[in-house]
Each structure stands twice: as C-alpha cells, then as structure tokens.
C-alpha cells in the first residue's frame, strides 16, 4: 500500500493547511487543492489540468526537489500574471513520494 | 425578435446535446454563446486533447466531439447567437422569457436552460492603472478584434505570446498603419508557422517586435495616445491608437449572476431530485454551471441533465399532455427539416 505524503498549502486567504496526499492516484497538486476545497470552485484547474490557464499557479516555498518544468508549463508561465521565480503550475506537479514535505502558496486569482 | 421553445445559454457539449433531446420532443432550441464559435471549453481550451470518458468513445478529441454533436443535431436546425453574452432577462406574464444580449439581440423563449459551463469566457486583463478608463467607449483598449477594419490606418500595439497575439499581429499588418507586438519573452507559445510569419514580417519591417517587454502604462487624456513599455528594466514610449492585450480568456459567471438565481460556490443551485430547475420557475441550469448534492462536473453528467431538463420543459409547455418515452431505435428521428432517420425494417418471413 502506497504511503500518503504531507503537503503544506497556503490558500489565497493566507491560511496554511497541512494535508495528506495519496501517492497512488496520479493526482496533481491542483487536484489536491480541489479535493480539500482550498480554493473556491471555478477558480482553480479551469482548463482541467492541461497547463493552459494558470489558474493553479502556486509559489514553491521550500527546497523539496520538483520535476523540471515542461515546455507547456514554461510557456504558460510566460503568459500568466503574478509570476515569480518560484512559480509553478499545480497541475504539472504530480504527487509522488519524492515531494513529501512540499510547501506551496496559491498565487492570487488572475 | 428570435422566437424559440428553449433558449440555451451556452453552446458547449451539454447545450448542444440538449438540442437533440429537445428535438425528439419537437421542441425548438436557440443557443447563445459569448464565444464566436460553438463548443465551449472543448473548442476554446483543448480541441486537440483526447477525452476518454464519453460513453461509446474509447478516445475522442474534444474538437471531434463538438463536430459529432453538431452532426447529431443538425436535423433539429438550432439557431445560434454567437459572440454575444446574455445580459438581461425579463419574465412575461404568460411565464415566457425575453433575454437580451449585450449587443441588444432579443430572444423570446418558453423556457431557459443555462448550460454555461464555467461561465462566460472573459478576456484575462493585465494589471494596469487606468485600464478601466481606456477600455470603455472606444478609448483605445480592446480585448477582442471583431472587425479588423476598425484598425485600418491606425497604430496598434498588441500584447501577448500565444496564437491570438501572433495571428492578429500578422493579419493587421495589411490593415493597420503600424503593428507593434510586445511579449514578455523571446519565445512564443503558438503554431510554428505563425511564429515564422511574425519573424518574416519583422525582417521586412512590417511588425515591430518588442521582446522581452511589457506594457506598463498609458498616456492620453481623452483616449490612448501612447503606451509605456518596460524593456530590460528601461522604459520606452510607443505612440499608438489602440492597445490590444491578448492574454487568453478566463471564465466568469457574468451577467447571469445578477438574474436572481440562487448561487453557491460560483455555480447555480438546482433541484436535482426532479428536473434541474433553478429557484426561478422556467429557468433550468445544466452541466458544469449547476450545483447540487453529489454534483460531478463531467460531460456525461451534463448529457443526462440535459435529457431530464427537456422532459420537464415538454411538460411545462404541454401541461396535462401525456408524454411517452420513446426510443430512437424504435421511433427513429424526425428532423425539423423534413428528414427522417429510422432503422431499416427487418424482413419477416413466415414459417410454415
């Protein structure tokens, strides 16, 4: 049985949530935020997780190693607003044991 | 005035399939969509992406699903008001409705079905001081190019790095006095041939390309006279008549949020135990735009909801008239255009 991992998510109100995330469902951080209802419906994962809307943009707050950005994610972040050096798209970060302890903050809704 | 039985607001998959189910019941549909084309999210966001959870289709491209839905409903001759948003609604004494769009197009319907998905797709706007002032009354900021002739002989600054920004920059070189394309990066997210075309036009001096750059302000009292652009930390000023930011679209519930409908979590509450009717008699909400206990935002759920909605509208329009559920395998389909589809009759042989 795959282990759940712990992810810390600061929502758009500034409230920090420590949540348990399954590693055996091929979920993404965007889907995790939706599952725990940490952002209002219709404000996150609008494109369904295809790196085409940036509604799931988040800021990575710690040094947990993440997979490299793919070309789609890179390109979407060029277009998005409120982008910082540590910006990623939650839909492109898949939940695996390797990202246990990851801390992120949701970017403002744009 | 456009007359119809069911006015469907939203021409995504749920709205399109509702036309089919309504057609089986001899109900005429007309659809309004804010986008200039049908298909909703499927056409706008991911036409080339495969969908795997449509019954009977192990895999279907979103764009192909839209094409197939149109093929399925064509004999029911739906009407379309595209590129306009449903703005106001008026309920008449006889229980019918008049819906007027932002362009003033009026629709008279016996029932309304809101199939608006995530809502109206609105342009994603840059965060700029005085933007609201310049976007009104033709003061120089446009988010859509409806009529390219508007820009004939004018100076235009386009901002963005996707297909829209590239394609319109190319197109307007033959129309505008000057075209400046501003993008935050040197790389573009668009079709390769569009990028190459922009490169070619830049070489010919027909497009002024500013990368990596960002429009950061406006100058002009009555309307835009120029834009300030930040390039590598320095500022430059470009004289222009129009600034067209093309940063994609973002969904908002839009004007229907002001219609007195009960809203929860950015979606419209409906009576899912019965017929997906909202708190206003005669107005239904189907597909991703609605919410009820246990709601799943899936296309196939939208199809189911559309079917039940149409049955309810039939009963509403034909009170007391008994409707017997028919199967298309048995009854076939009678199109509004006089066509008929039905299964071939089997040959029956007598057995001695």
């Amino acid at each position: 049985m795959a282990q759940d991992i712990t992810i810390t998510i600061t929502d758009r109100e500034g409230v920090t949530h420590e949540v348990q995330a399954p590693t055996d469902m091929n979920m993404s951080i965007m889907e995790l935020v939706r599952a725990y209802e940490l952002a209002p419906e219709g404000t996150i994962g609008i494109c369904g997780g295809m790196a085409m809307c940036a509604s799931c943009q988040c800021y990575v707050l710690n040094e947990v190693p993440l997979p490299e950005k793919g070309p789609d994610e890179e390109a979407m972040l060029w277009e998005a607003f409120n982008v910082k050096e540590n910006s990623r798209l939650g839909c492109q970060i898949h939940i695996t044991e390797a990202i246990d302890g990851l801390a992120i903050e949701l970017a403002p809704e744009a | 005035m456009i007359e119809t039985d069911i006015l469907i607001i939203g021409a995504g998959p749920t709205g399109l399939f509702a036309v089919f189910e309504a057609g089986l019941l001899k109900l005429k549909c007309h659809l309004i969509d804010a986008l200039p084309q049908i298909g909703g999210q499927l056409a706008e966001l991911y036409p080339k992406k495969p969908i795997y959870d449509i019954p009977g289709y192990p895999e279907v491209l979103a764009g192909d699903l839209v094409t197939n839905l149109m093929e399925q409903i064509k004999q029911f001759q739906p009407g379309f008001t595209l590129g306009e948003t449903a703005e106001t609604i008026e309920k008449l004494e006889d229980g019918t409705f008049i819906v007027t769009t932002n362009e003033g197009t009026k629709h008279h319907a016996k029932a309304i079905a809101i199939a608006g998905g995530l809502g109206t797709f609105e342009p994603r706007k840059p965060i700029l001081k005085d933007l609201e002032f310049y976007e009104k009354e033709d003061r120089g900021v446009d988010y859509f190019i409806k009529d390219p002739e508007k820009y004939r002989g004018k100076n235009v600054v386009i901002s963005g790095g996707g297909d829209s920004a590239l394609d319109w920059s190319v197109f307007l070189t033959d129309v505008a006095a000057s075209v400046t394309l501003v993008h935050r990066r040197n790389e573009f997210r668009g079709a390769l041939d569009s990028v190459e075309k922009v490169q070619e036009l830049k070489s010919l001096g027909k497009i002024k390309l500013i990368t990596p750059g960002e429009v950061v302000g406006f100058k002009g009292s009555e309307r835009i006279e120029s834009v300030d652009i930040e390039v590598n930390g320095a500022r430059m000023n470009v004289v222009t008549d129009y600034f067209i930011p093309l940063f994609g679209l973002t969904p908002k519930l839009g004007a229907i949020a002001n219609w007195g409908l009960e809203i929860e979590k950015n979606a419209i509450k409906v009576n899912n135990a019965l017929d997906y009717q909202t708190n206003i008699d005669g107005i239904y909400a189907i597909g991703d735009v609605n919410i009820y206990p246990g709601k799943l935002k899936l296309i196939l759920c939208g199809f189911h909801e559309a079917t039940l909605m149409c049955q309810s509208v039939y009963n509403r329009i034909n009170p007391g008239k008994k409707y017997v559920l028919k199967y298309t395998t048995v009854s076939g389909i009678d199109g509004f255009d006089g066509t008929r589809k039905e299964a071939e009759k089997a040959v029956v042989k007598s057995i001695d």
Side-chain angles (χ1 to χ4, degrees), chain B residues 251-294:
Chain B
K252 302 278 180 205
L253 206 46
I256 55 175
N258 306 320
W259 286 7
L261 299 161
E262 214 175 327
I263 307 281
E264 184 183 305
K265 293 184 177 176
N266 220 20
I268 301 169
K269 279 181 83 171
V270 292
N271 169 8
N272 70 304
L274 194 61
D275 55 7
Y276 303 97
Q277 200 158 186
T278 66
N279 59 311
I280 300 178
D281 184 42
I283 301 184
Y284 300 75
I286 53 175
D288 284 3
V289 78
N290 75 12
I291 189 165
Y292 53 81

Side-chain angles (χ1 to χ4, degrees), chain B residues 212-231:
Chain B
E214 193 167 0
V215 172
V216 293
F218 307 104
K219 284 192 174 60
S221 52
E222 297 297 311
R223 67 182 322 284
I224 281 183
E225 290 166 12
S226 65
V227 289
D228 291 325
I229 301 173
E230 199 166 278
V231 190

Side-chain angles (χ1 to χ4, degrees), chain A residues 34 37 41-43 46-47 50-54 71-72 74-83 109-110, chain B residues 41 45-46 49 118 124-127 160-162 183-185 187-189 246-247 250-252 265-266 297:
Chain A
R34 290 176 69 140
E37 298 185 352
E41 189 64 44
T43 66
I46 288 163
C47 74
M50 289 176 279
M52 297 183 80
C53 71
D72 286 345
E74 195 86 65
M76 189 66 244
L77 286 170
W78 297 341
E79 289 288 293
F81 300 122
N82 304 309
V83 175
E109 192 185 349
Chain B
Q41 274 186 75
L45 292 179
Y46 45 88
K49 293 278 182 181
L118 292 165
R124 192 180 289 131
K125 299 179 180 181
I127 304 157
H183 181 41
R184 290 185 205 162
R185 301 277 176 154
E187 301 87 352
F188 287 84
R189 175 195 174 99
L246 297 172
F247 292 117
T250 187
K252 302 278 180 205
K265 293 184 177 176
N266 220 20
K297 295 194 176 196

Side-chain angles (χ1 to χ4, degrees), chain A residues 37-106:
Chain A
E37 298 185 352
L38 301 182
E41 189 64 44
T43 66
I44 191 157
I46 288 163
C47 74
M50 289 176 279
M52 297 183 80
C53 71
S55 62
C56 64
Q57 184 192 167
C58 58
Y59 306 126
V60 175
L61 302 179
N62 58 8
E63 299 295 321
V64 171
L66 294 175
E68 291 289 305
K69 290 180 198 137
D72 286 345
E73 182 179 3
E74 195 86 65
M76 189 66 244
L77 286 170
W78 297 341
E79 289 288 293
F81 300 122
N82 304 309
V83 175
K84 299 180 185 176
E85 286 293 315
N86 56 345
S87 284
R88 293 295 302 258
L89 297 183
C91 68
Q92 300 301 301
I93 303 174
H94 288 275
I95 298 169
T96 64
E97 288 173 19
I99 67 164
D100 190 18
L102 176 69
I104 59 150
E105 178 188 352
L106 300 183

Side-chain angles (χ1 to χ4, degrees), chain B residues 57-73:
Chain B
Y57 286 98
E59 179 179 339
V60 60
L61 296 183
D64 290 348
L65 181 61
V66 173
T67 304
N68 291 346
L69 284 164
M70 276 304 287
E71 176 65 22
Q72 194 170 19
I73 65 175

